Amino acid sequence: MLYVEILGNLPEMARDELKAVLELSGGEITGQDYLFLKVNADERAFPFLDRLGLSHEYGELLVEANSIDELLEKAKEIDWPIKGTFKVDTETMANCRHDVLDLPRKLGAVVHARGFRVNLSKPNTLVRVYCGEKLYAGVRLRFFDPKGFENRKAHHRPFFRPISLHPRISRALVNLTKARKELLDPMMGAGGILMEAGLLGLKVYGVDIKPEMVEGAEMNLRYYGVKDFELKLGDATRLSEVFPGKKFEAVATDPPYGTSATLAGRERNELYRKILEGVYDVLKPGGRLAIAFPASFDGEWEAERAGFRLAGKYYQRVHKSLERYFYVFEKGG
Ligand SMILES: C[S@@+](CC[C@H](N)C(=O)[O-])C[C@H]1O[C@@H](n2cnc3c(N)ncnc32)[C@H](O)[C@@H]1O
């Protein structure tokens, strides 16, 4: 059994991102306690879990208990998969119902009694305890270092445009499409979504209506080491002309939200409708589209009108004048 700790700012999107990557690897979510998710999967899921954008860490889940005493009793029976030294580290979630103040010391003593050495400053293995409705203990296998994502934020890129999504969100959009081989962003801007998809080893296709974006996105992709890409100058509402005969497995995009500069002179809602129709045309049956729309546009209704089925919808308030939804749509197969 594994656990995944998701991030708290878009928890439903984070959970569905996890569900999507598990569907690719044959695993499943079997329980949730606030931001702590229990996952039924084995090591074959690791390369897929490594893709996650909206998670904090994953690990091996070893003990689940209703009280501190039960946790400590069970911990005595565990074959702790500890390599080298260890440290106990507690995560007290907002719904924690137990008094865990002294738990690192007590659990540390139990694990130490099984023959492992403690090292508080540089442990080789981190024993993680989560406190929510219940208590859980396991060992951390992978921590998603925020630095990797921070280094790809808009202002660190050689070609800078302030219109970009946070790289963690771009990564989640890619994962929500369940892409295995390839991904298209038909309004790629500076290429933020394509960078995240390319770093996962997907072949990426990008389109933008502005020549400077096509040049800039290429600069950014190269800078971050993405090599397998095809970028074109073109119109997202005419994709079957931009890629004649090509059908895509997955599409993720972040259309402009309304300034005349980024809308290239079009009426906004009309542009969104045409994008939905255009993407529907170039998606393979069963393929998915992950897309952001401002809350004032009824993306669900419009996408259903274009033929899509809703697979997910997540609200985000960006600031006072921008509220949006991230949607995941599926083309019937
Ligand atoms: C919000 S930006 C995308 C940002 C991108 N996701 C990123 O993270 O860097 C939207 C982009 O859509 C482009 N665009 C606007 N109308 C378009 C159209 N009809 N076809 C293709 N691209 C278009 C704009 O030039 C702009 O670069």
Side-chain angles (χ1 to χ4, degrees):
M1 188 69 94
L2 303 177
Y3 73 84
V4 177
E5 180 193 350
I6 57 171
L7 297 176
N9 39 359
L10 286 163
E12 282 157 19
M13 189 163 159
R15 185 204 56 217
D16 284 359
E17 183 197 21
L18 172 61
K19 184 164 171 271
V21 302
L22 287 171
E23 281 168 9
L24 290 175
S25 68
E28 58 174 348
I29 298 171
T30 57
Q32 178 164 5
D33 189 342
Y34 193 47
L35 303 178
F36 182 88
L37 282 92
K38 290 198 286 177
V39 168
N40 185 12
D42 56 31
E43 66 276 1
R44 277 171 299 181
F46 294 168
F48 294 93
L49 293 175
D50 288 342
R51 293 171 54 149
L52 291 170
L54 295 177
S55 287
H56 185 268
E57 69 177 81
Y58 70 81
E60 189 176 348
L61 175 59
L62 297 157
V63 190
E64 183 175 335
N66 289 305
S67 69
I68 300 226
D69 288 345
E70 187 189 343
L71 181 92
L72 293 172
E73 273 314 303
K74 285 184 169 173
K76 289 180 189 158
E77 309 301 323
I78 297 289
D79 278 331
W80 287 91
I82 292 174
K83 292 189 189 75
T85 56
F86 80 98
K87 173 187 171 182
V88 178
D89 192 57
T90 310
E91 198 64 47
T92 309
M93 297 190 291
N95 66 338
C96 174
R97 283 169 164 241
H98 309 266
D99 180 6
V100 289
L101 209 59
D102 211 20
L103 189 56
R105 197 184 56 75
K106 287 182 178 159
L107 182 60
V110 170
V111 178
H112 180 253
R114 302 292 308 262
F116 299 103
R117 270 188 308 120
V118 177
N119 183 334
L120 296 180
S121 55
K122 265 194 156 190
N124 302 111
T125 304
L126 206 56
V127 171
R128 290 284 273 156
V129 177
Y130 285 86
C131 177
E133 295 284 320
K134 288 187 170 193
L135 291 160
Y136 311 86
V139 292
R140 176 190 277 177
L141 296 174
R142 165 90 201 259
F143 167 63
F144 295 99
D145 191 344
K147 274 193 235 125
F149 291 107
E150 291 299 314
N151 287 341
R152 296 193 296 279
K153 277 172 93 168
H155 57 283
H156 291 300
R157 303 174 190 166
F159 176 76
F160 166 70
R161 284 291 180 280
I163 50 178
S164 282
L165 293 174
H166 191 287
R168 282 187 182 275
I169 291 183
S170 295
R171 174 66 66 90
L173 292 178
V174 173
N175 283 326
L176 284 161
T177 68
K178 296 207 267 181
R180 285 178 187 273
K181 289 197 323 259
E182 62 179 17
L183 182 124
L184 163 71
D185 182 347
M187 311 184 100
M188 66 182 163
I193 292 175
L194 296 183
M195 273 159 39
E196 297 306 315
L199 290 171
L200 299 179
L202 302 173
K203 159 121 197 205
V204 295
Y205 297 84
V207 178
D208 204 285
I209 206 155
K210 293 195 177 168
E212 70 265 30
M213 292 297 181
V214 182
E215 266 175 46
E218 176 167 353
M219 205 187 287
N220 285 343
L221 288 173
R222 287 193 191 284
Y223 181 76
Y224 289 101
V226 177
K227 296 193 179 80
D228 200 6
F229 57 79
E230 204 174 310
L231 308 183
K232 299 207 182 209
L233 180 65
D235 189 337
T237 63
R238 308 170 79 114
L239 291 171
S240 40
E241 289 168 31
V242 185
F243 297 100
K246 169 93 184 127
K247 299 281 181 204
F248 294 91
E249 174 188 48
V251 178
T253 198
D254 175 33
Y257 297 139
T259 62
S260 52
T262 55
L263 284 167
R266 307 271 183 89
E267 199 276 313
R268 194 195 71 174
N269 289 2
E270 198 44 36
L271 173 70
Y272 291 171
R273 276 183 210 113
K274 290 222 166 90
I275 295 168
L276 286 167
E277 289 163 11
V279 170
Y280 190 85
D281 278 348
V282 298
L283 256 187
K284 287 183 181 161
R288 281 185 163 196
L289 161 67
I291 190 165
F293 284 125
S296 55
F297 178 75
D298 190 346
E300 187 175 338
W301 194 80
E302 297 287 354
E304 281 172 3
R305 214 171 63 142
F308 285 106
R309 180 188 75 79
L310 182 75
K313 181 177 176 181
Y314 318 98
Y315 172 78
Q316 188 192 35
R317 184 175 186 276
V318 186
H319 49 72
K320 204 164 62 204
S321 51
L322 178 57
E323 292 173 78
R324 67 182 163 202
Y325 285 97
F326 297 104
Y327 294 91
V328 183
F329 299 118
E330 206 163 83
K331 177 170 174 168

